[in-house]
Amino acid sequence: MNWFGTLPGFTRTPAGLERVILRRLPRWLGQGTLVLAAPSLLARLWPWDGLASDIHSRITAIDIGVISLVVLYWTAALTVAIGAFIVMVMKGPAYVADAYPLPAPPPGGTSPREP
């Protein structure tokens, strides 16, 4: 059983930038996350001077900033991915829903669409 009937005569639009974005997005997410997480990793390797509590508070502040930037980056990437997916779906084949015949106008009357 064919649930969806495609619109006759409809031509599919060739894939464009949306496919490139969707293919490259996993690599962008991985590399971007590593770049944004680098300050947090480097803060743990840095030879800090001072009290242990001061060092801990500095590293915690850096971690909070890094986490907020990673969440912002992933949110922006998800937004771009949703937009690219919508464009990809819109470029696909057009479908026709079930036909709904309009009622015939009464004799001597006007159709429902006429004023």
Side-chain angles (χ1 to χ4, degrees):
M1 173 185 277
N2 188 8
W3 288 91
F4 300 108
T6 57
L7 186 64
F10 182 80
T11 57
R12 290 185 71 156
T13 307
L17 184 60
E18 72 278 357
R19 294 282 184 155
V20 174
I21 289 173
L22 289 174
R23 284 190 192 118
R24 291 183 184 173
L25 196 62
R27 181 177 44 193
W28 289 344
L29 282 174
Q31 291 173 351
T33 302
L34 285 177
V35 167
L36 291 174
S40 182
L41 298 174
L42 292 175
R44 285 165 169 68
L45 299 176
W46 190 262
W48 296 101
D49 290 335
L51 298 173
S53 61
D54 292 339
I55 296 170
H56 180 69
S57 64
R58 288 180 195 157
I59 292 176
T60 302
I62 292 170
D63 288 344
I64 290 171
V66 165
I67 290 170
S68 65
L69 286 176
V70 167
V71 169
L72 174 69
Y73 180 72
W74 276 69
T75 304
L78 178 67
T79 304
V80 169
I82 290 171
F85 179 75
I86 289 172
V87 170
M88 183 184 72
V89 168
M90 290 177 65
K91 285 186 173 183
Y95 293 104
V96 179
D98 292 337
Y100 181 75
L102 293 176
T110 60
S111 68
R113 293 190 179 203
E114 294 178 9

